[in-house]
Amino acid sequence: MTAPSLESRIARLEAIEDIRKLKALYCTYCDDNYNPDKLATLFTEDAIWHAAHRGRMQGRDAIRSFFAGISAKIGFAAHLVMNDKIEVDGDRGTGRWRMLMASMEDFNGTERAVWALGDYDEVYVREAGQWRIKSLFVT
């Protein structure tokens, strides 16, 4: 078995770093009052965003609409992700991230502090040289 070339190893490491930057942008835009237009750019046209406690959105427009409305319920959020496990195979990748989020959420007119702990399971694709989220599941 032949070892991967230095060029392919560097390309893989660059792809992993690009995916890390993509995830950092996702967290930044979520923490920017769930900026729907910026968040939508991070997803493929047919992407899926799913969280059991928030629902399932399919397609970039549905994801944009979801984020446009969620800021009415979550007045403040700080998304912290860590312990990333990223795998890349050509123009596809997968990632699993541990998430800790502090937030202020509206529960029927009463705002209260919430701490959330969970995982992101994601699939990425590279389209025209740009990594995007194909699916994102919050568990």
Side-chain angles (χ1 to χ4, degrees), residues 29-91:
Y29 297 158
C30 284
D31 296 347
D32 180 22
N33 205 33
Y34 291 96
N35 188 311
D37 294 325
K38 288 183 178 180
L39 279 161
T41 67
L42 305 179
F43 291 85
T44 63
E45 277 296 328
D46 61 346
I48 296 169
W49 187 98
H50 180 267
H53 63 292
R54 300 275 185 218
R56 176 187 169 101
M57 294 358 111
Q58 181 147 13
R60 186 181 286 159
D61 291 337
I63 293 167
R64 179 186 288 112
S65 294
F66 168 74
F67 284 120
I70 198 69
S71 62
K73 296 178 184 169
I74 303 175
F76 163 82
H79 290 70
L80 307 170
V81 293
M82 62 211 93
N83 300 347
D84 56 287
K85 297 174 194 141
I86 301 169
E87 296 294 330
V88 174
D89 185 9
D91 289 334

Side-chain angles (χ1 to χ4, degrees), residues 95-121:
R96 183 169 177 89
W97 305 80
R98 192 72 164 152
M99 180 265 298
L100 179 63
M101 184 180 83
S103 63
M104 292 298 292
E105 298 191 26
D106 184 329
F107 290 89
N108 301 320
T110 302
E111 192 173 56
R112 65 182 195 198
V114 175
W115 282 95
L117 176 66
D119 295 297
Y120 286 109
D121 287 299

